[in-house]
Structures are given as structure tokens and as C-alpha cells.
Amino acid sequence: MNRPETLPGRETAAPAGGGRIEVRGLHAWFGTHQVLHGIDLDFSPRQVTAIIGPSGCGKSTLLRTMNRLHEETPGTRLTGSITLDGEDIHAPGTDAVRLRRDVGMVFQRPNPFPNMSVRDNVLAGFKLNHEKRKDEREILERTLRSAALWDELKDMLHKPGSSLSGGQQQRLCIARALAVEPKVLLMDEPCSALDPVSTNKIEELIFELKKSLTIVIVTHNMQQAARVSDFTAFLMVGKLVEVGATRKIFTSPEQRLTEDYVTGRFG
Amino acid sequence: MIAVSDKPIRAGGRRSRIPPGAFSGPPPPGPSQGKEPAAGGRSRFNADAIFRGITGSFAGFVLLLVAGMATVMTIASMPAIRKFGWHFLVSSTWDPVQDQYGALPFLFGTLLSSFLALLIAVPLSLGIATFLSELAPERPARILGFLVELLAAIPSVIYGLWGIFVMVPMLRNGPQAWLSAHLGFLPIFAGPAYGVGMMAAGLILAIMILPTISAISLEVFRAVPRAQREAALALGATRWETTRMAVLSYARPGILGAVILGLGRALGETMAVTMLIGNRPAISASLLAPGYTMASVIANEFSEATGDLYLSALIEVALVLFGLTVLLNVGARYLVWSTVKRGENRA
């Protein structure tokens, strides 16, 4: 497999601290149902943070508050704050559209645009943000390489995105997110719909991408969390039970609950 | 209905209702083996065969109906076909007194009025559907959506009446008078402002097919998976960009289907158009001039068609209209089919 390259210019474009997310005292409600209870968490640049926890613990909601996609669900409400590099992303006057260009997202099920070619899929977000530039071709190749797809797809750039395999579709979605040049990449159970081989490829990809990005990954798969992440946060019924270095969480957690969960005693 | 769904319809998925254990149970002992279970199985298969036969004959009846109509119309229009041949389709003389018939003005009127209707109604309908599915809050959207569907159920004679008493005077005194006075040098706005005419017919058709196209497009938009919208939003797309990138693109086959249904209604619409188009069998480039459509001429003249050739010519007009609708529908269906095929295996 071709080793993905890091995005050139990333190191200079995003100096240390670029892409730091700080969550403080975050409460979230769907209507009258409270989903998150006072979460405090930091996500550092060039680190992968995994969010684990049983179904319905609020992992996905937490993720979606970080690019304000939770606003798409009517009746959601938040208190507390989330900052990206010191700026409150939920402050009135902050533009969600701009925010999402800095905070990319990959979803549980691959969702390429089915009527667009591979090429148009990759460039979809890029074209929104930039005037028509001559270096489209270069961006296309660079992002497809970053997503370890270039060698597989370089001869079928005009095929519809929906004609790819599930794993390729998911990497196409990653490429699509990377083309916008975000500082943070949110991944919502990116491998739950994929086979082990594709999962492995995505995990290798995460390993490469974290050299230049802040990565937050929600996962149901504890082996995956242990494999790919530097830090792990364990959530249960909307509360942060424990957060720490992944090795510590999986070998000597401080909370009994965490230990029971990571050893598979429940969940 | 139009195949909006992207799920392939599975043929041959019929299951005979055999109780569990009918085959897997222990074989009956003794000499009866092979007789009784087989008999039981056969009677069930017979029931299935009868069921299939009955429903199949219903479906076959539709085919028969279409074929029968085409045949009868062809036979009845034979005198006119023999007399005029292909000339019927390209001649613009419609003269019952001299027994000279050419259908071109009607063909032109039908096509132009329907085209005008689509030109106006399609963008408006897509706007309505987009607003209701993407922008409006849920409850008002439901109510408005219901009202739009209600509009589709209003009988066409009511549209016609409203057209005559409200729209035509307004057109005559307002926009048409202005167009005639200021843009009259353009061929499409030449001539006096009658009120009734091609423009009035196109407008009323647009109003009539608007609810059809909006209501179906709305359903199609609502069926676009949320994941598609979120994909666009997560890339930093605005509401409009999300609609364009995720919704309109995904819904394209369904939109085409909606437009076809609207077009079908416009092509065949008789009453409202007859009341508003002016009923003059002439081809004019001007939208202000009166025209005539195939459906209108049939409705207007069949009762007074005294001569055999006259009647035969009218039936040939009907045959042409029939052929035109079939042709347009097949073409449009092919278009839908090819776009759906391209978008197959969608996530």
C-alpha cells in the first residue's frame, strides 16, 4: 500500500496550538431530555482522542457539538463552552459554515454524493471554499494520496462515487474532508460499516493523518480505540467517567466503571 | 407512479405459502409416501397459479386497453390518413367547409402551451419544494405541503373559469398591454393584447401543474437521506449549497419523474385550455396571439363534425395526441431510467 503523505505546508500553516479544542462544562439537551452532563475535555493537535462508551452515552452528540452539526436536530440546546484555538465556536455571531471548514467530519456510513464522480466528490468541499483555482488537479491528487486512494482510483476519477467499495467510499469521504484543509477531523464510528481489511486501512490512515491534524474518533470498538488513539475518554449516560492516556485507560484505569467497561464486563 | 425509489423491484420473489415442516417433516410411513404430500403441495401451487392468473389477467387488461384504443383510433382515422397522408402533420389548413384538414396548428399549440407551462412551473415548483423541505420549520411545512397537494385536486373547469374572469382581464390590461406597446417589435410579443391566447393558456397550465410537480418533488426531497445533507453541511456548505450539492443532485431522477407527470397533465389538459387559448387554428410566433391545441379542437368540434372525413380527421388528431404522449413518456422514462442507473449503489 502506498504510504499516505502528509499535506505539504500543513506544519507551517497550522503552528503548534492550531486545532486545539477545549470543551468546558458542556450540557446538552434534546428537547427535555438531557444528553450531556457537564463535560470537560481537551483535544490536542497531532493527537488522536478516542471517545468510547455504551450506546446512547452521548458520544456522537458530543462529537456533533464540535462542528455544530447538532443544530440540524430540532430542539437541541447547549450550555457551557467549546473553543477552537481559543475562540468560542458557539458564540453568537460565529459562523457555523466557517467553523465546519476548520472542523471536518467523517460519518458512520460512507456518504459520498452518488451522482458525482470520484473527482467531484473529492473537490466538492474544496470548490465551495475557493474560487476556481488552477491547482484543482494538484489538490485532487494530493488529497487522494493522503487518503491512500490515489493508486486505486487514479484511472477511474470519472466514475461515480457510489460505484466504489464500502471501504473506498469511506476513504473517499475522508479525502473529501481533507480537501477543505481542516485543522480538526471528527470521525463518528468511521469503521462500523466496514470489513476488517478496510478498517485496517482506515486505521493506518488515521495514524498518518494525526501528524498534521487533531483527530477525534468515536468508536464502539475498544480494540480500535486502543490501537489508534493517544488519549481515550470514557463516557456513560452523558457523563465523562474518565479521560487519560489510552495505555493507562486500558491497563490501569482509575475508575472501577472504566475498568469494567474496557474489560468487557458490560456495554 | 414514477420509480423514485432506488431499490430494485425484485421479480420472482414470490413465495408459495407452504407451512413450515411440509417438506422437512418426517416422511409419512408406509405406501402412502409420495402421494399425499404431493397432492397437498399441488393444490397449494394451483391456488398460487389461479392467483397469478387472475392478477395477471388484470394487468394484461391494461395492455389490451391501450392496444385496443390505438387500433380503433387508427381504423377510424383511416379515411383521413388515406386522403392526407403525412401531409396531415405538416399542413396548417384546417377548413371543414372545403374538407381540408391539417393538424400542425394543434400540434404546435399543444407543444408550445405545455412548454410554456413547464418553463414557468418547474423552477417555481422546485423553489416551493426546496423551501418546504429544506428551510421551513416542520409544522408550517406540513400544512403548506398539504395545501399544495390540495391545489392539485381542483377540477380544471374551475381553473378555466377563474382564468376567464380574473386572469384574462388582468393580463389584457396589465402585462400584455405593456408588452404589446413596448416590446411589440419582437415577434413573440407582436399583435394586439386580446387577453385570451397562448400566454393565458401557458399560464393557466403552469398554475395547474405547479401543485403536481411541487408535491412530488417535495416527497422526493424528503426522501433524500439525512446523511447526504450532513455530508454537505460538514464540508462547510451553506443551506443553498447543501440543497444544490446533496438534495437536488440526489433527487434528480425523482424531479424528472415529477416533471413528466406535470407535462402529461399539461399535454392532455382540455377544459381550462379550451376556455383560454382563443381557439384559432393558426400558428403565430406571438405569445399574445390566440392558438389551438389538439385536446381543445377535439372537445370543441367533435359534436359538430358532420362529414365522415371531418370526424376521421378529428380522430386522427386524437391519434397524434396519443402518440405524442406515449413518445414523450417513453423518452422521459428512459431519461429517468438512465439517471437512476448512473446513481445506482448509492450509499
Side-chain angles (χ1 to χ4, degrees):
Chain A
M1 199 182 83
N2 190 48
R3 274 277 156 210
E5 306 164 359
T6 49
L7 295 175
R10 170 65 63 191
E11 276 72 18
T12 50
R20 164 175 293 277
I21 288 188
E22 292 172 0
V23 179
R24 289 290 174 269
L26 188 74
H27 297 258
W29 290 263
F30 286 139
T32 55
H33 172 62
Q34 185 161 8
V35 202
L36 295 175
H37 301 259
I39 306 287
D40 292 289
L41 262 177
D42 286 359
F43 301 95
S44 311
R46 299 194 202 93
Q47 305 285 1
V48 178
T49 307
I51 304 176
I52 60 170
S55 299
C57 69
K59 318 185 280 289
S60 289
T61 306
L62 175 59
L63 200 67
R64 292 163 68 91
T65 58
M66 289 190 252
N67 68 349
R68 289 175 58 178
L69 212 54
H70 71 286
E71 291 170 0
E72 289 305 300
T73 315
T76 49
R77 201 157 53 81
L78 289 185
T79 62
S81 78
I82 300 180
T83 58
L84 171 62
D85 298 332
E87 280 180 52
D88 186 351
I89 64 170
H90 289 101
T94 309
D95 185 4
V97 168
R98 276 221 57 79
L99 168 72
R100 291 175 190 144
R101 292 172 186 185
D102 283 336
V103 184
M105 187 163 184
V106 176
F107 297 83
Q108 197 167 350
R109 303 194 69 84
N111 55 357
F113 300 120
N115 288 325
M116 286 188 196
S117 65
V118 167
R119 177 198 156 89
D120 289 345
N121 260 292
V122 173
L123 295 175
F126 173 79
K127 280 180 179 166
L128 294 177
N129 302 320
H130 305 269
E131 292 305 306
K132 195 165 178 66
R133 272 170 23 183
K134 288 193 186 105
D135 52 1
E136 272 182 12
R137 171 83 196 178
E138 186 204 320
I139 301 282
L140 178 71
E141 179 171 345
R142 180 163 26 124
T143 43
L144 278 177
R145 278 194 193 283
S146 307
L149 269 176
W150 177 252
D151 290 331
E152 288 166 59
L153 296 187
K154 64 183 174 201
D155 297 322
M156 41 191 294
L157 295 174
H158 294 284
K159 285 215 172 179
S162 53
S163 66
L164 308 180
S165 74
Q168 287 176 328
Q169 287 190 15
Q170 191 63 304
R171 278 180 287 148
L172 182 65
C173 292
I174 293 174
R176 183 173 67 183
L178 293 178
V180 186
E181 303 184 343
K183 297 175 186 162
V184 181
L185 188 63
L186 308 174
M187 305 179 104
D188 189 359
E189 300 188 37
C191 302
S192 65
L194 304 182
D195 61 273
V197 175
S198 306
T199 300
N200 188 25
K201 284 188 180 169
I202 304 259
E203 287 178 6
E204 283 184 45
L205 195 53
I206 291 172
F207 198 72
E208 286 301 318
L209 293 176
K210 80 168 184 182
K211 291 176 184 167
S212 54
L213 288 167
T214 309
I215 294 181
V216 186
I217 178 170
V218 162
T219 178
H220 255 305
N221 179 334
M222 270 166 299
Q223 285 78 22
Q224 181 169 63
R227 281 192 302 262
V228 302
S229 70
D230 304 298
F231 293 92
T232 298
F234 173 49
L235 254 64
M236 231 180 99
V237 286
K239 295 191 179 81
L240 180 66
V241 178
E242 189 171 353
V243 59
T246 297
R247 183 183 297 267
K248 183 161 185 299
I249 293 283
F250 280 90
T251 54
S252 54
E254 306 206 334
Q255 302 290 327
R256 180 67 193 273
L257 212 51
T258 313
E259 186 176 347
D260 286 351
Y261 184 73
V262 298
T263 52
R265 241 165 263 168
F266 74 94
Chain B
M1 275 299 293
I2 303 303
V4 170
S5 149
D6 51 28
K7 280 187 204 122
I9 294 157
R10 288 193 47 180
R14 299 186 188 89
R15 268 192 263 159
S16 51
R17 300 185 60 193
I18 296 162
F23 292 134
S24 61
S32 72
Q33 185 176 2
K35 281 180 187 168
E36 280 187 38
R42 189 157 54 230
S43 81
R44 285 190 187 91
F45 278 118
N46 280 345
D48 259 5
I50 292 167
F51 179 56
R52 189 188 306 190
I54 292 174
T55 49
S57 64
F58 290 165
F61 182 68
V62 174
L63 258 174
L64 214 69
L65 211 64
V66 174
M69 274 168 65
T71 315
V72 169
M73 280 196 292
T74 312
I75 292 171
S77 54
M78 259 350 252
I81 294 175
R82 278 211 198 86
K83 179 106 193 276
F84 305 112
W86 287 111
H87 198 63
F88 187 77
L89 290 178
V90 291
S91 158
S92 49
T93 316
W94 185 263
D95 188 351
V97 179
Q98 307 288 330
D99 244 4
Q100 287 296 315
Y101 303 102
L104 193 61
F106 312 119
L107 198 63
F108 172 81
T110 297
L111 288 175
L112 181 59
S113 59
S114 299
F115 173 74
L116 283 176
L118 285 185
L119 204 65
I120 301 166
V122 170
L124 275 176
S125 304
L126 293 185
I128 292 172
T130 303
F131 175 71
L132 292 184
S133 91
E134 306 303 312
L135 302 170
E138 185 150 342
R139 190 181 295 258
R142 292 275 160 202
I143 296 169
L144 273 167
F146 175 72
L147 284 178
V148 167
E149 282 176 42
L150 208 67
L151 275 180
I154 296 178
S156 58
V157 67
I158 296 176
Y159 281 104
L161 211 63
W162 177 83
I164 285 183
F165 289 114
V166 182
M167 195 177 75
V168 163
M170 258 167 53
L171 272 179
R172 186 169 48 223
N173 303 325
Q176 287 197 348
W178 189 88
L179 285 171
S180 177
H182 296 90
L183 295 172
F185 59 89
L186 294 171
I188 62 163
F189 297 125
Y194 292 117
V196 295
M198 195 56 82
M199 184 187 273
L203 270 174
I204 204 77
L205 281 177
I207 296 171
M208 290 175 72
I209 65 176
L210 187 91
T212 310
I213 302 179
S214 327
I216 298 171
S217 304
L218 181 58
E219 285 313 308
V220 173
F221 288 2
R222 283 184 179 152
V224 173
R226 195 177 151 156
Q228 288 289 313
R229 295 190 178 86
E230 290 188 343
L233 286 171
L235 290 173
T238 61
R239 198 52 67 174
W240 154 243
E241 287 161 343
T242 303
T243 303
R244 183 168 54 81
M245 191 184 276
V247 182
L248 290 178
S249 146
Y250 192 94
R252 211 170 349 173
I255 295 172
L256 259 170
V259 172
I260 295 164
L261 279 185
L263 179 61
R265 186 164 190 203
L267 287 174
E269 175 49 43
T270 312
M271 187 47 83
V273 173
T274 310
M275 291 163 90
L276 294 175
I277 201 167
N279 299 329
R280 195 175 71 189
I283 295 175
S284 167
S286 173
L287 297 180
L288 306 183
Y292 221 152
T293 68
M294 292 191 272
S296 299
V297 75
I298 297 166
N300 266 339
E301 299 190 6
F302 87 96
S303 59
E304 59 203 45
T306 43
D308 286 346
L309 194 62
Y310 192 3
L311 191 63
S312 172
L314 277 178
I315 294 174
E316 194 178 349
V317 171
L319 188 66
V320 173
L321 181 56
F322 180 80
L324 183 71
T325 22
V326 169
L327 213 70
L328 277 171
N329 268 291
V330 169
R333 213 52 73 95
Y334 173 77
L335 224 63
V336 172
W337 173 78
S338 59
T339 41
V340 168
K341 195 160 174 273
R342 216 152 40 83
E344 251 171 27
N345 308 321
R346 49 183 50 168

